Amino acid sequence: MEIKTCEQYVLDQLEQARAERDWLRGKLEQAQDEAEELRGKLMERGERDASKVEQAIRKEGRHKLYRDGSGYRTSVDDGGKLIPFSDWCIEHAGYSSLRCGMTKSEFIAYFEPEFREEYDELVNEWKAGQE
């Protein structure tokens, strides 16, 4: 099509810009997919390549951080009623200052598996005592 007017020129430029944008968007999505795949491979490799000593250090370090930041087996009993998990976590976390750059709520979220395991154990003991 031959461009004869200013409007036709502007429309032509707009269409070219849209086509280039769509092409770039496709390239970006492709690059993001490749990056995600490489991140996954890197994580797999990192876990696989970690020596048994490094794995033991990570495990013990996590356990120590949890122990240092949580209280001593606080009760799940609140006058004959069971304290909800989230309330128990807040009470049980003796974590009052920023440790490793985490707030108390971030600490609880990060160590939720450990909190959950301890809470479930205490709930089972509490239920056994109720029978």
Side-chain angles (χ1 to χ4, degrees):
M1 173 177 127
E2 188 178 334
I3 298 174
K4 294 183 181 177
T5 66
C6 223
E7 289 84 8
Q8 288 174 332
Y9 175 77
V10 170
L11 287 174
D12 182 58
Q13 292 296 310
L14 179 62
E15 286 303 316
Q16 288 178 19
R18 283 183 183 161
E20 184 177 2
R21 179 203 61 200
D22 293 342
W23 179 80
L24 288 171
R25 204 175 264 158
K27 285 295 211 182
L28 176 62
E29 288 174 3
Q30 181 182 4
Q32 288 172 332
D33 291 344
E34 290 174 8
E36 190 60 37
E37 183 180 327
L38 289 173
R39 257 188 233 103
K41 287 180 181 178
L42 185 60
M43 291 299 289
E44 286 176 21
R45 182 176 179 193
E47 291 300 317
R48 189 176 59 243
D49 290 349
S51 71
K52 290 186 184 234
V53 172
E54 288 171 340
Q55 290 174 3
I57 290 170
R58 288 178 191 161
K59 182 178 179 183
E60 187 59 34
R62 181 179 175 101
H63 184 67
K64 180 170 179 12
L65 279 174
Y66 174 71
R67 273 194 331 255
D68 290 352
S70 61
Y72 297 101
R73 297 184 62 89
T74 55
S75 176
V76 293
D77 184 19
D78 183 21
K81 294 186 293 187
L82 190 62
I83 297 173
F85 175 70
S86 58
D87 294 345
W88 179 83
C89 286
I90 291 168
E91 181 182 308
H92 185 60
Y95 189 88
S96 59
S97 64
L98 290 175
R99 180 184 300 264
C100 300
M102 289 188 281
T103 64
K104 186 173 186 173
S105 60
E106 290 171 331
F107 180 84
I108 291 170
Y110 185 79
F111 287 103
E112 185 188 355
E114 287 87 347
F115 278 108
R116 176 63 67 186
E117 182 180 334
E118 191 168 349
Y119 177 79
D120 289 345
E121 186 178 309
L122 289 169
V123 166
N124 289 336
E125 290 173 11
W126 180 78
K127 286 179 180 177
Q130 296 293 315
E131 294 173 354

